[in-house]
Amino acid sequence: MLALFFVPLITLSLGLVSNVGLLFTMYILSGFGMAGIGMGVMHDAIHGSYSKNKKINTLLSYTFNLIGANATIWRIQHNVLHHTYTNIDNADDDLNAPFFLRFSPHAKHYWVHQFQHIYIWFFYGISTISWITTKDFVRLKRYRSMGFLDKKHEYSKTLISMVAWKLFYYSYALILPMIMLPFSWYVILLAFISMHFVTGMLVSIVFQIAHIMPANDFPLPDNNGMMNDDWYRHQFATTSNFSPKSKILFWMIGGLNYQVEHHVLPDVCHIHYKNLTKIVSDTALEYNMPYNVKKSMAHAIWDHTKMLCALGKKI
């Protein structure tokens, strides 16, 4: 995945491309590599499941910084908020969206939501552009106000590190190709955006069809802030698998088509998910818990679209 991301960019940075079609091809290939790093390398590393060696996990978590995002922010957003409070409105940060998107039946409804199943794909595509430019900084500030990053100088160190990593990323992924290649700056910028559109679409769809689905629950705490179900039952009720027989997809997205296994066993490396499926599904059956699975990615996307339509209606 690192090679799939870096080799095309190195080719561009060396000025070896003189054809516009090849320019876009190189960036789009890097987009697949970027998505693969995010889902198949960084994701396991930050969960501490890539290796038994903590130093290796820490080292590989920085691959997320290499692609313009930030490992510290992701650890809070994903490991803490998403995995602890899956599909709980105002707690799971994956449900936190701009006003024109509605991912929970408990979120405030606006008239524009009735069209979200049409325009949402564009915003999925540009999601990583938003991520590497503004979203990380917005989340950094919000997480500090929530009580995270409260150690001495932790906030300022994270901010400085974030800026440095992002400048490094933009330097080799965008500025250097602009200097070395014989194309107008806006052509290269458009190719760069196309890379992120591929990444954003892949990453957004994979995570959204795991949770924003008709069969999944969106539970709320009671008046005392307590959930009715235990954590494991909650994960089964709010998560879905898809396309369990696709070996290519399994490799491409780091096993995240087995989201149920990942959510109940987040500290297990994704290469083991297939072997755990029968154990996990039999356990769900034994304890009368749902085990949601869609036979294909296309089927899952279709159901996700139907869910977006339902959420677009004022209920």
Side-chain angles (χ1 to χ4, degrees):
M1 287 302 178
L2 287 166
L4 186 58
F5 175 67
F6 278 112
V7 170
L9 288 182
I10 291 171
T11 303
L12 295 174
S13 297
L14 291 175
L16 301 178
V17 173
S18 58
N19 178 277
V20 172
L22 189 55
L23 168 72
F24 277 83
T25 300
M26 291 290 103
Y27 266 119
I28 288 171
L29 283 174
S30 284
F32 283 103
M34 187 190 297
I37 290 170
M39 293 184 284
V41 182
M42 171 283 297
H43 185 254
D44 277 334
I46 295 182
H47 271 293
S49 62
Y50 192 99
S51 170
K52 292 180 180 179
N53 189 314
K54 290 183 179 181
K55 291 182 179 179
I56 292 177
N57 285 322
T58 300
L59 178 64
L60 289 176
S61 71
Y62 286 116
T63 58
F64 203 40
N65 295 30
L66 275 176
I67 59 175
N70 185 268
T72 301
I73 299 301
W74 173 263
R75 187 174 287 106
I76 297 170
Q77 180 233 319
H78 185 75
N79 290 22
V80 179
L81 300 178
H82 173 63
H83 273 269
T84 306
Y85 309 108
T86 313
N87 274 18
I88 302 175
D89 196 39
N90 292 319
D92 181 354
D93 212 24
D94 282 12
L95 298 182
N96 183 28
F99 78 92
F100 50 83
L101 298 177
R102 188 172 188 245
F103 293 143
S104 167
H106 309 296
K108 186 175 181 179
H109 182 272
Y110 293 96
W111 69 270
V112 73
H113 291 146
Q114 63 188 304
F115 306 110
Q116 70 172 359
H117 64 287
I118 299 171
Y119 59 71
I120 201 166
W121 311 104
F122 170 76
F123 290 101
Y124 281 172
I126 65 169
S127 60
T128 56
I129 285 285
S130 168
W131 202 334
I132 66 172
T133 52
T134 60
K135 190 179 289 185
D136 274 342
F137 294 101
V138 171
R139 282 177 169 161
L140 177 65
K141 185 178 180 181
R142 186 168 79 249
Y143 292 161
R144 182 175 68 165
S145 69
M146 292 170 64
F148 297 104
L149 305 163
D150 58 351
K151 295 179 182 177
K152 187 177 181 181
H153 304 308
E154 188 176 11
Y155 174 81
S156 57
K157 287 180 180 178
T158 303
L159 178 60
I160 293 169
S161 172
M162 185 187 297
V163 171
W165 276 106
K166 288 182 185 296
L167 288 175
F168 176 62
Y169 168 73
Y170 279 113
S171 295
Y172 75 77
L174 181 61
I175 304 302
L176 196 55
M178 283 183 173
I179 294 171
M180 298 299 294
L181 294 172
F183 306 110
S184 300
W185 65 269
Y186 56 84
V187 175
I188 296 172
L189 178 61
L190 188 60
F192 173 81
I193 292 172
S194 71
M195 172 182 72
H196 272 280
F197 200 88
V198 168
T199 306
M201 190 66 75
L202 272 172
V203 172
S204 295
I205 286 175
V206 166
F207 282 102
Q208 294 296 77
I209 63 178
H211 300 291
I212 316 301
M213 300 289 279
N216 291 358
D217 289 347
F218 294 81
L220 289 176
D222 60 24
N223 292 333
N224 296 317
M226 301 298 292
M227 303 300 297
N228 291 326
D229 290 331
D230 64 78
W231 183 83
Y232 284 103
R233 187 175 293 272
H234 180 96
Q235 298 306 316
F236 277 105
T238 57
T239 310
S240 291
N241 285 354
F242 57 91
S243 195
K245 295 182 179 181
S246 175
K247 294 181 179 179
I248 294 175
L249 188 66
F250 180 84
W251 174 80
M252 183 68 211
I253 66 173
L256 291 179
N257 48 328
Y258 291 90
Q259 282 276 349
V260 175
E261 284 70 22
H262 170 58
H263 267 259
V264 298
L265 299 163
D267 56 349
V268 173
C269 185
H270 79 264
I271 62 171
H272 302 296
Y273 293 166
K274 284 183 181 180
N275 297 329
L276 291 168
T277 300
K278 180 168 174 50
I279 298 171
V280 174
S281 60
D282 286 351
T283 301
L285 181 64
E286 180 182 354
Y287 288 93
N288 193 31
M289 296 183 291
Y291 184 81
N292 301 316
V293 58
K294 300 298 177 184
K295 63 181 180 180
S296 69
M297 191 172 188
H299 188 195
I301 292 172
W302 178 249
D303 272 16
H304 174 60
T305 305
K306 290 194 292 185
M307 185 64 184
L308 291 172
C309 289
L311 290 170
K313 299 174 182 178
K314 190 170 184 178
I315 301 173

